[in-house]
Amino acid sequence: MNNLTFLEFEEKIKKNPTVIVPLGSFEQHGPAGYLGADYIVADYLAKKISQLTDIISLPCFPFGFSAIHSNFAGTISLSAEVYEQVIVSIIQSLKKSGVKNIIFLNGHGGNRMPLKEELCLEGIYFIEWFNLTGNQFFTDEHKSHAGSEELSLLAYINKDYVTEGMVQNMVPSELKINWKEIKPIERKAEYLTENGVFFKADQYAPEIGKEIEQYVIEKILEKISCITNCGRQ
């Protein structure tokens, strides 16, 4: 969308009133992963989808609701209230421009927490790439934050996005706090992990990342086909 004039945007929306809005976060991803991992992946996938379709991809919104990681250096988190307001403003602006279908392609699980009514609005769709893979490539212990699945895709996009010698499994927190008894929106990563990794990352591999990319893009295209041809699915 960056390289379109408003007239070009207007013309494209008349032909296909659907856009993709990638959502990310700026937060720690353990000792090996970039702070921008979530928005890098979301933006990458959105651009790929845009290249394969006639759907406009917006620039990725790089900041999210990342309060869970706020005690780790470099993490930037919006409050739940501000994040919700940002998403509402994006929706209102796009609807005013004639967009009928807004597909939020989410790269950070925490972004869903502040959004309730927004996800039920007509023409609003929320796709999380990491929920499309199931156990196709990794078991659950490798699928969480800064784990093998996420690092594999990140390393495939660019090998320099993962510092190979720093890849670690989770170092359990020494804090005596029961993670399961805390409300999800009130959890802090340091209650569970010392190094920021959730569970296991040691099976990451760029070649698996390539397979993940292909699989996820196929699944996203299937969902988009349902959205544009069948309505809400």
Side-chain angles (χ1 to χ4, degrees):
M1 182 175 172
N2 300 31
N3 59 348
L4 297 176
T5 67
F6 82 92
L7 293 173
E8 291 170 330
F9 180 82
E10 194 172 52
E11 188 62 28
K12 281 181 172 288
I13 290 303
K14 287 178 181 177
K15 294 178 181 177
N16 186 345
T18 301
V19 300
I20 300 174
V21 183
L23 301 175
S25 70
F26 200 83
E27 62 187 36
Q28 68 85 17
H29 278 80
Y34 275 17
L35 288 163
D38 289 341
Y39 79 73
I40 288 170
V41 172
D43 191 58
Y44 175 86
L45 292 174
K47 287 177 179 175
K48 282 284 186 179
I49 295 298
S50 184
Q51 290 168 3
L52 294 169
T53 65
D54 59 349
I55 297 175
I56 295 172
S57 173
L58 273 69
C60 185
F61 185 65
F63 304 113
F65 179 63
S66 301
I68 188 173
H69 301 292
S70 59
N71 281 7
F72 285 84
T75 296
I76 297 174
S77 178
L78 303 181
S79 69
E81 295 76 16
V82 168
Y83 189 75
E84 183 180 26
Q85 290 170 5
V86 167
I87 298 302
V88 168
S89 295
I90 290 172
I91 292 171
Q92 291 174 341
S93 296
L94 289 172
K95 291 285 188 179
K96 189 175 181 180
S97 294
V99 176
K100 293 182 179 179
N101 298 315
I102 303 171
I103 302 169
F104 288 105
L105 181 53
N106 186 37
H108 169 58
N111 289 341
R112 178 183 283 272
M113 290 185 186
L115 305 178
K116 301 175 183 67
E117 296 179 3
E118 293 76 22
L119 301 186
C120 299
L121 295 174
E122 183 178 355
I124 304 302
Y125 304 90
F126 202 76
I127 299 175
E128 296 179 310
W129 73 264
F130 41 85
N131 283 333
L132 300 176
T133 55
N135 294 121
Q136 182 76 15
F137 303 98
F138 292 103
T139 55
D140 287 346
E141 62 187 355
H142 289 273
K143 286 175 56 64
S144 194
H145 178 78
S148 297
E149 183 168 270
E150 186 171 28
L151 293 188
S152 293
L153 183 51
L154 194 63
Y156 171 67
I157 293 171
N158 187 322
K159 64 181 178 61
D160 293 332
Y161 289 162
V162 177
T163 307
E164 186 173 359
M166 295 297 291
V167 175
Q168 300 174 8
N169 290 332
M170 182 177 81
V171 177
S173 174
E174 296 182 358
L175 299 174
K176 305 301 179 183
I177 298 174
N178 191 329
W179 174 266
K180 294 182 179 180
E181 291 181 355
I182 305 169
K183 295 179 181 178
I185 203 165
E186 297 176 355
R187 289 173 178 171
K188 298 292 184 183
E190 68 268 20
Y191 298 165
L192 186 67
T193 170
E194 291 284 335
N195 63 347
V197 179
F198 281 20
F199 313 120
K200 295 187 177 180
D202 58 1
Q203 289 184 16
Y204 97 98
E207 57 269 23
I208 300 178
K210 180 179 181 179
E211 295 179 33
I212 293 171
E213 182 224 42
Q214 294 170 343
Y215 185 87
V216 166
I217 287 176
E218 182 179 333
K219 292 296 182 183
I220 294 173
L221 289 174
E222 289 175 3
K223 286 185 173 291
I224 289 175
S225 178
C226 284
I227 289 168
T228 55
N229 297 319
C230 316
R232 182 173 290 277
Q233 295 291 317

